[in-house]
Amino acid sequence: MSISHRSTMNTTDRSRPVVPPLLHTDDLPGPLSLNRLSEFGTVSKLDEFSGYWSEHATTLYGRASIVAAIAPFGTVACTQTAAWVWLGGPHFPATIDVISTSHFRSSSAGRRIRVFKRLTLPEQIMKLGTLAITTPARTACDLVMTPDNGGDPSAINNLVCQLMSAYEFRPNDCLQIIKEHRHHKYAAKAKDFFNAVQREINEVTWSSGDA
């Protein structure tokens, strides 16, 4: 069953994690406790000193709470990090991707903070609890406009298609966002990508109509 975009606005308090979203070795009797909980699958380790309750990562609000505890204050979660919040997945992203005008030298929970200084319109940002995050459609655009060394293209394409299916937006929605950011270095690449997806959808629709 697909998750509608509208459903993200109606999270109830019952879905809020009771256990703190981020656990440190100081919160537990010792390092062995974190390792043991990880072996049991109860905790997903981020590094040797921190992790998160695995059950939290099974809900949208739980994942947002985890990222809010890790991302620098005043930033907007984007790209791979935003995709993990919206879709989930077995592995936490390798970097903390945020939109910010600041530069962060230190890492957080064993992850490098990857900063994108991109124009982001207010309607392209949502709040999930305390986390500011790009909307699913804007997240899809950012994934496609990632530099060529930003990850496996097939994996990125898969994430974009999952976002479109789960949150029910169309390639044309992304094309409008790209039009507003047409001066971006990779805007042309993203335009070609979403035009190709739209053509595939049109071909399927026409084929179904002819059947």
Side-chain angles (χ1 to χ4, degrees):
M1 180 182 298
S2 65
I3 306 170
S4 69
H5 189 159
R6 198 170 292 131
S7 70
T8 64
M9 302 296 289
N10 299 317
T11 307
T12 64
D13 288 340
R14 286 176 296 178
S15 65
R16 295 171 180 263
V18 177
V19 178
L22 195 64
L23 297 170
H24 300 277
T25 51
D26 292 345
D27 303 322
L28 300 167
L32 286 179
S33 297
L34 188 65
N35 291 332
R36 182 64 61 87
L37 288 171
S38 177
E39 291 173 1
F40 291 154
T42 305
V43 166
S44 297
K45 289 177 62 176
L46 292 166
D47 58 17
E48 291 304 311
F49 308 102
S50 62
Y52 56 87
W53 213 253
S54 299
E55 187 176 349
H56 292 178
T58 63
T59 68
L60 178 64
Y61 187 90
R63 293 189 296 273
S65 298
I66 292 167
V67 172
I70 298 173
F73 178 78
T75 61
V76 178
C78 68
T79 320
Q80 294 281 356
T81 303
W84 184 78
V85 173
W86 290 122
L87 297 172
H91 304 294
F92 192 86
T95 57
I96 306 297
D97 296 341
V98 296
I99 295 173
S100 177
T101 56
S102 301
H103 178 70
F104 303 95
R105 295 182 181 275
S106 61
S107 61
S108 180
R111 299 298 196 277
R112 178 173 65 88
I113 300 169
R114 187 167 60 157
V115 176
F116 295 87
K117 298 180 179 181
R118 293 175 172 171
L119 171 66
T120 310
L121 301 179
E123 59 267 27
Q124 295 165 7
I125 299 173
M126 293 179 63
K127 289 293 289 289
L128 295 176
T130 60
L131 179 70
I133 183 172
T134 52
T135 62
R138 174 59 196 255
T139 301
C141 293
D142 285 342
L143 285 167
V144 179
M145 291 193 292
T146 300
D148 293 333
N149 61 353
D152 178 10
S154 62
I156 290 174
N157 292 352
N158 185 48
L159 279 177
V160 171
C161 291
Q162 288 183 57
L163 284 165
M164 292 178 64
S165 175
Y167 292 97
E168 301 176 354
F169 59 91
R170 308 281 290 181
N172 285 336
D173 297 319
C174 294
L175 287 168
Q176 181 57 43
I177 293 174
I178 293 164
K179 184 178 180 181
E180 294 163 353
H181 301 83
R182 59 187 177 276
H183 300 300
H184 188 282
K185 182 177 180 180
Y186 296 99
K189 180 182 76 169
K191 182 179 178 180
D192 290 343
F193 174 86
F194 287 110
N195 275 326
V197 174
Q198 186 62 58
R199 284 194 298 271
E200 290 182 11
I201 292 173
N202 292 342
E203 289 174 2
V204 171
T205 301
W206 292 333
S207 297
S208 299
D210 293 339

